[in-house]
Amino acid sequence: MAVNISIHSNKGGVYKTSTVVSISVNLAKIGYKVLIVDCDAQNNVVLNFKDVLNNENTLFDLVINKDSKNLDKYIKTVSNNIDLIENSFDSLNVDYNIYTNPEKYPEPLGLFEFIDSKDIQEYYDFVLFDLSSAYTLYNLNALAYSDYVLMLTELEPFSIAGLIENIKIITNNSSIKILGILETKVVKNTKTYKNIHEQLINNMKMLDIHVFDTQIERLAEQPNSLLFEGENISLATENKKTSWTYKNLTNEILTILKKEGDLIA
């Protein structure tokens, strides 16, 4: 059975997609088979790989056409041991299409039933959902079909309060487990960092939620700062500091999953 993980933040620009891809790359290097499901209409996952796909047979097409019997045409190999169900800007209208056609879509939270299929669960070791920052139907379905959610937060004023509210929304409406909190865009050796980091640690300790030891530092360039010659840095080179950072994060994740009994090897 695959381990299904949603990667989520209620704010954009916190390296969420690059985190999804970098974790996938590091898992793939170990030998795990990974499926990425891009739930964000911006479809940025594919930009982390050299060969940009043709944007045909997307998640939108799969969901709207209820075409789970033909999964093969929607799953595309983007790297060794990594497959992708990509998205498209058409998905900006998916909520409207679903909610205005209740006869065709009687169960709006069952749109991702294909995740439970044998083709997915018996072939892949991991399914990673790249969520958008809003609570769209895609996000709600991804969370409904996930075992865990990994939450990203930027250390800035008021971020802790927003994170806690986000945790409440997710945990009050599903049985999903919080895999951990990942601090991103970190600028160390500042008073702001020290204060907010301590707040985060103390608040998550009270909630019994893990905060990853690994932190993703703020990078000088946006938005392609995690790309190296058009390819995700974890895939392109081992000599980048951020690449090693994500390798450490992946090892932390595997340690947690093994401790939880959700990963044997």
Side-chain angles (χ1 to χ4, degrees):
M1 295 287 288
V3 179
N4 304 333
I5 304 173
S6 285
I7 289 79
H8 178 56
S9 172
N10 61 342
K11 178 183 177 182
V14 294
Y15 310 152
K16 176 177 55 61
T17 295
S18 292
T19 296
V20 172
V21 177
S22 292
I23 292 171
S24 299
V25 168
N26 282 290
L27 289 172
K29 286 179 178 179
I30 297 171
Y32 292 113
K33 292 183 175 64
V34 183
L35 173 66
I36 304 174
V37 181
D38 192 344
C39 298
D40 194 331
Q42 294 184 73
N43 193 35
N44 285 336
V45 169
V46 71
L47 301 179
N48 285 261
F49 298 94
K50 282 186 174 179
D51 298 322
V52 177
L53 303 182
N54 57 20
N55 208 223
E56 295 179 355
N57 297 327
T58 65
L59 178 63
F60 177 81
D61 301 314
L62 171 59
V63 168
I64 291 299
N65 296 327
K66 303 178 73 172
D67 199 20
S68 58
K69 292 183 179 180
N70 297 298
L71 270 179
D72 285 351
K73 73 178 185 179
Y74 300 97
I75 297 175
K76 305 160 188 179
T77 299
V78 292
S79 186
N80 186 38
N81 284 339
I82 303 177
D83 290 346
L84 168 67
I85 298 179
E86 65 172 321
N87 211 330
S88 71
F89 282 108
D90 291 334
S91 289
L92 292 171
N93 298 316
V94 71
D95 287 32
Y96 175 80
N97 286 327
I98 299 298
Y99 284 131
T100 57
N101 291 280
E103 295 82 8
K104 185 176 181 180
Y105 309 104
E107 297 182 15
L109 293 182
L111 302 178
F112 283 13
E113 61 180 358
F114 62 89
I115 294 297
D116 284 341
S117 69
K118 289 185 177 181
D119 291 340
I120 300 292
Q121 292 299 314
E122 293 185 0
Y123 181 76
Y124 296 101
D125 300 298
F126 290 89
V127 177
L128 300 185
F129 298 97
D130 181 13
L131 275 56
S132 66
S133 56
Y135 280 103
T136 63
L137 270 178
Y138 280 166
N139 279 15
L140 295 174
N141 273 271
L143 291 167
Y145 283 87
S146 289
D147 305 302
Y148 295 91
V149 58
L150 188 160
M151 305 181 73
L152 282 67
T153 187
E154 182 178 359
L155 296 182
E156 61 180 11
F158 309 112
S159 63
I160 307 302
L163 174 64
I164 291 173
E165 289 304 312
N166 211 20
I167 291 171
K168 288 179 180 178
I169 291 172
I170 291 174
T171 55
N172 288 343
N173 291 281
S174 70
S175 59
I176 196 170
K177 301 176 184 177
I178 307 293
L179 184 61
I181 308 299
L182 175 65
E183 299 164 280
T184 68
K185 303 183 79 171
V186 170
V187 181
K188 295 184 178 180
N189 302 319
T190 65
K191 185 176 181 180
T192 299
Y193 162 76
K194 182 179 179 181
N195 290 340
I196 300 178
H197 174 70
E198 287 180 357
Q199 289 179 41
L200 176 66
I201 295 298
N202 292 334
N203 278 274
M204 294 305 106
K205 185 176 182 179
M206 288 188 292
L207 295 172
D208 194 26
I209 293 176
H210 177 71
V211 178
F212 289 104
D213 293 330
T214 304
Q215 299 172 322
I216 310 302
E217 295 185 10
R218 183 185 295 273
L219 300 166
E221 299 178 1
Q222 284 274 88
N224 292 325
S225 52
L226 297 187
L227 300 184
F228 178 75
E229 296 181 352
E231 190 172 19
N232 181 274
I233 58 169
S234 291
L235 188 64
T237 177
E238 293 285 354
N239 298 321
K240 292 284 184 175
K241 180 179 179 181
T242 310
S243 176
W244 281 101
T245 300
Y246 276 115
K247 185 175 182 179
N248 292 337
L249 174 63
T250 304
N251 288 334
E252 275 198 77
I253 291 170
L254 293 174
T255 298
I256 292 171
L257 294 177
K258 290 175 183 176
K259 185 177 180 180
E260 291 287 328
D262 289 318
L263 199 65
I264 297 175

